[in-house]
Amino acid sequence: MASSSSSRVTERRGIPGAQFVEDVHTYLSQSGLDVNSALAFLQERLQQYRLVEMKLLAQQRDLQAKIPDIEKCLDVVATLKAKKGTGEGILCVVSNLALTADFEVSEGIYSRACIEETDSVCLWLGANVMLEYSLEEATSLLQKNLDNAKASLEVLVGDLQFLRDQVTITQVTTARIYNWDVHQRRIRQAAVATAQEP
């Protein structure tokens, strides 16, 4: 429905762009819509934008929770690498070669573990899958996952900003069409009143 009366419509990652209507009369005549149909279309589009926004916000929350977890895992692997071969531990309980750590069993429940010098760690990959990696491989994989999560978060933030812009444009266009319709009705009522005068 692009026309000379509206700005160019763009799209970002499947999110349709909104039209800013400069000339309502031209927009309605070129699109073949009446005022009620145009307003209904715009309201439907706003609902679609709201659904997409909810989905993107959920993805953003997931990534914002995931990034600190990955960073913690990287810190643990880095600590294991740093303590390897030194004979030191953070809190030596059993021997000089043991590292004592508190880990979260479930939300708010922690347990203490004695970690002996190790060359590998096990990482959860999702879908109830855990694999053992060397410390170097684990660092590489976790860093790659962290970089991907940060890049995905950056794209999501851009998508959300684009989406908010489209919502604003659609709301402004809706108001312009509604106000134009009210103005046209007043003109018609004034013309009828003038015609009825003696």
Side-chain angles (χ1 to χ4, degrees):
M1 279 193 253
S3 70
S4 61
S5 66
S6 59
S7 63
R8 184 173 169 233
V9 178
T10 59
E11 182 178 307
R12 178 182 169 113
R13 292 178 13 99
I15 302 169
Q19 290 180 288
F20 177 77
V21 175
E22 295 174 22
D23 181 353
V24 174
H25 177 71
T26 304
Y27 168 76
L28 292 174
S29 62
Q30 288 183 353
S31 65
L33 297 172
D34 62 12
V35 171
N36 291 334
S37 299
L39 291 173
F41 169 77
L42 292 172
Q43 288 303 318
E44 182 180 330
R45 180 57 58 90
L46 279 173
Q47 290 300 321
Q48 292 169 348
Y49 286 149
R50 295 293 183 209
L51 288 173
V52 172
E53 183 180 33
M54 287 172 38
K55 177 183 158 196
L56 292 178
L57 286 171
Q59 291 174 358
Q60 183 183 33
R61 280 190 302 273
D62 290 346
L63 282 172
Q64 287 172 332
K66 184 179 186 180
I67 288 172
D69 288 344
I70 296 171
E71 289 171 338
K72 286 179 192 174
C73 289
L74 270 169
D75 288 344
V76 169
V77 173
T79 302
L80 290 173
K81 285 171 71 174
K83 298 297 181 183
K84 186 177 172 187
T86 64
E88 297 178 24
I90 294 176
L91 296 171
C92 296
V93 176
V94 178
S95 71
N96 283 344
L97 299 177
L99 177 68
T100 301
D102 293 329
F103 67 96
E104 193 170 12
V105 177
S106 70
E107 192 171 334
I109 301 173
Y110 291 85
S111 182
R112 184 157 286 168
C114 183
I115 304 168
E116 295 183 10
E117 191 169 285
T118 183
D119 293 328
S120 64
V121 292
C122 294
L123 299 177
W124 284 107
L125 300 180
N128 293 326
V129 176
M130 178 186 274
L131 287 179
E132 185 175 358
Y133 290 94
S134 71
L135 296 177
E136 291 74 23
E137 290 172 330
T139 300
S140 175
L141 177 65
L142 288 168
Q143 189 60 54
K144 178 183 169 193
N145 289 350
L146 181 61
D147 294 343
N148 289 342
K150 286 181 176 179
S152 295
L153 183 59
E154 192 175 313
V155 169
L156 270 176
V157 168
D159 288 350
L160 282 166
Q161 184 56 52
F162 177 80
L163 188 61
R164 288 180 183 125
D165 291 345
Q166 303 322 296
V167 167
T168 301
I169 291 168
T170 304
Q171 289 171 334
V172 168
T173 298
T174 301
R176 288 175 64 86
I177 292 173
Y178 179 79
N179 291 338
W180 178 85
D181 185 45
V182 168
H183 181 68
Q184 294 302 310
R185 288 179 195 209
R186 286 183 183 158
I187 290 173
R188 286 192 296 271
Q189 287 173 350
V192 168
T194 304
Q196 290 177 353
E197 289 180 3

